[in-house]
């Protein structure tokens, strides 16, 4: 916006170099380091303020909002385990000063982004209609109308439905209209998730240093593996979403085996989260990554990637044979759970009964049988202590959540949206689209046993992946091998 007011600044070498840096992988690395340090060392307020300053700089000097994307993706992963409100209600953000700082920062960022949106729309540049518009409109209507024909329909449920759909598609539409896609770097979103994945991996390792995580007998208490933005299941989902990203470079660049190795390391990171659902479905996605890499990589790159995968398999087998006792100690909490469903099947049955009573529009967001984390305890909706919480309990399954919350209307709307997203990649299966949908697939599959589709953080990641998938052809006609 500053350069629009003073066009001569566009010719400044300093401005051009700054723009190039803000659109580069180096800037993504800076954001990933800030994210990891904030979570590991409880630096939230400092990093949030840094985000505000960087956001102001981007809006003033950059031609579009592409440099904002790393902060959009990592923003909700800033919060540290001592300040997790579900585990520590007396943490930093129970302090009025911290709350005011957070609200002020969010307000400033919102004003900056809104101003940039207005300035981009005033350019009157032809951008077309987003391909996923119809599906998102229907899904948004279903979220807002959840519980319409039941006695549970109220303003609180409507507002939460709005928050849900805004998280799921807000940045899809915002970036669609504010990024100059013809100038977007090739493979940007794959690079973004690859680098952010390193920051998330650092947080995974950091969870093992939480108080009580490592017991005196050498075993690990899985219940103490959490960050400030989520417990082991949430972290496992995001780690699984980052895992396929390096595959894009494994099949499009020279020395692609290095990226194959990074993907393997991220898969091990998913295992370290000790999230059963994430491990199970990340394994499915990882096998798909293996097949895609070995099919699409060319010549010697295919051989080197095969060697990396073989080394991972051999190393895993040796570790299980030689270090079986130690691995058993580390994963004791996970092994003790076995196939225990953690009362999920009971929740599913109750959701089905709710759907049978209110099949058209369900019962809304706050009366679905579900669980939520409150002060370190997993409580069901309606139990003492849950009434004042803005985020309700969830059914831990996409299908049962949809039919209980929004009935047939919500389920059909979701199917239409899902069909549109699948067709988008099937009609044009470029490497970036395939990899982006593997990232999305990790989220969708883990949501069979959890509620990640309805968590606002993964929803934002989902929206970013979708818009880059849709608009990647505007940036480059096809990926190039380097």
């Amino acid at each position: 916006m500053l350069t629009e007011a003073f066009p001569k600044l566009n010719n400044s070498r300093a401005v051009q170099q700054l723009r190039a840096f803000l659109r580069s992988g180096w800037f993504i690395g800076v954001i990933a380091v800030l994210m990891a340090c904030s979570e590991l060392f409880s630096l939230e307020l400092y990093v949030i303020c840094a985000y505000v300053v960087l956001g102001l700089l981007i809006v003033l000097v950059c031609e579009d909002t592409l440099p904002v994307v790393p902060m959009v993706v990592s923003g909700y992963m800033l919060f540290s385990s001592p300040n997790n409100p579900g585990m520590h209600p007396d943490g930093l953000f129970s302090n009025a000063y911290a709350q005011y700082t957070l609200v002020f920062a969010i307000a400033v960022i919102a004003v900056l982004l809104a101003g940039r949106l207005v300035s981009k729309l005033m350019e009157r540049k032809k951008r077309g209609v987003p391909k996923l518009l119809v599906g998102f409109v229907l899904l948004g209507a279903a979220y807002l109308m959840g519980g319409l024909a039941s006695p549970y329909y109220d303003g609180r449920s409507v507002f939460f439905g709005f928050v849900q759909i805004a998280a799921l598609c807000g940045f899809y539409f915002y970036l669609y209209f504010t990024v100059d896609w013809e100038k977007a770097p090739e493979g940007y979103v794959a690079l973004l998730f690859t680098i952010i994945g390193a920051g998330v991996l650092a947080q995974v390792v950091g969870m093992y240093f939480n108080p009580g995580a490592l017991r005196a007998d050498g075993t690990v208490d899985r219940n103490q593996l959490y960050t400030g933005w989520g417990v082991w299941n949430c972290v496992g989902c995001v780690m699984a979403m980052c895992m396929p990203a390096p595959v894009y470079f494994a099949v499009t660049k020279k020395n692609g085996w290095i990226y194959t190795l990074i993907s393997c390391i991220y898969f091990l990171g998913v295992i370290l989260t000790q999230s059963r659902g994430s491990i199970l479905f990340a394994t499915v996605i990882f096998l798909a990554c293996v097949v895609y890499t070995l099919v699409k990589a060319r010549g010697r790159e295919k051989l080197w990637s095969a060697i990396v995968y073989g080394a991972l398999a051999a190393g895993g087998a040796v570790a299980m044979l030689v270090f079986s006792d130690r691995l058993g100690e580390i994963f004791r909490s996970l092994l003790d759970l076995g196939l225990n469903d953690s009362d999920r099947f009971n929740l599913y049955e109750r959701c089905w009964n709710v759907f049978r009573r209110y099949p058209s529009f369900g019962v809304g967001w706050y009366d679905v049988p579900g669980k939520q984390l409150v002060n370190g305890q997993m409580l069901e909706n309606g139990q003492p202590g849950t009434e004042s919480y803005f985020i309700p309990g969830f059914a831990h399954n996409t299908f049962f959540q949809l039919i209980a919350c929004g009935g047939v209307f919500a389920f059909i709307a979701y199917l239409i949206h899902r069909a549109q997203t699948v067709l988008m990649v099937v009609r044009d299966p470029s490497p970036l689209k395939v990899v982006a949908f593997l990232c999305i697939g990790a989220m969708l599959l883990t949501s069979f046993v959890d509620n990640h589709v309805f968590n606002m953080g993964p929803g934002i990641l989902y929206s970013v992946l979708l818009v880059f998938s849709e608009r990647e052809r505007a940036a480059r006609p096809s990926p190039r091998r380097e």
Side-chain angles (χ1 to χ4, degrees), residues 69-188:
V69 178
M71 293 187 286
V72 168
V73 169
S74 64
Y76 89 101
M77 294 185 281
L78 295 173
F79 302 96
S80 62
S81 55
N83 298 320
N84 184 316
M87 293 289 189
H88 305 286
D90 57 346
L92 173 65
F93 290 96
S94 65
N95 183 298
Y97 171 75
Q99 293 174 2
Y100 293 148
T101 301
L102 180 61
V103 171
F104 176 76
I106 293 174
V108 171
I109 292 173
V111 170
L112 291 173
L113 293 179
R116 198 60 175 127
L117 175 62
V118 172
S119 69
K120 295 299 287 185
L121 292 178
M122 288 176 65
E123 292 178 0
R124 300 183 183 277
K125 183 178 180 180
K126 186 177 180 180
R127 295 180 176 87
V129 177
K131 294 180 180 178
L132 304 182
L133 175 63
V134 173
F136 272 131
V137 168
L138 290 174
L139 193 60
Y143 282 6
L144 294 173
M145 296 169 63
L148 181 63
S150 76
Y152 308 105
Y153 190 64
D154 57 18
R156 188 183 182 207
S157 181
V158 172
F159 181 69
F160 188 77
F162 170 77
V163 172
Q164 280 282 303
I165 193 61
L168 206 61
C169 71
F171 280 104
Y172 165 83
F173 289 110
Y174 183 85
L175 296 174
Y176 185 96
F177 290 106
T178 61
V179 171
D180 290 333
W181 293 103
E182 294 81 3
K183 300 178 182 179
E186 181 182 359
Y188 183 86

Side-chain angles (χ1 to χ4, degrees), residues 192-237:
L192 170 64
F193 275 76
T194 297
I195 296 175
I196 293 296
V200 177
L201 181 61
Q203 295 185 17
V204 171
V205 175
M207 293 194 304
Y208 282 78
F209 293 90
N210 286 349
L214 295 175
R215 299 189 181 110
D217 61 359
T219 60
V220 175
D221 183 359
R222 189 180 76 132
N223 294 319
Q224 300 305 316
L225 298 180
Y226 59 89
T227 63
W229 48 274
V231 297
W232 57 94
N233 286 334
C234 302
V235 181
C237 172

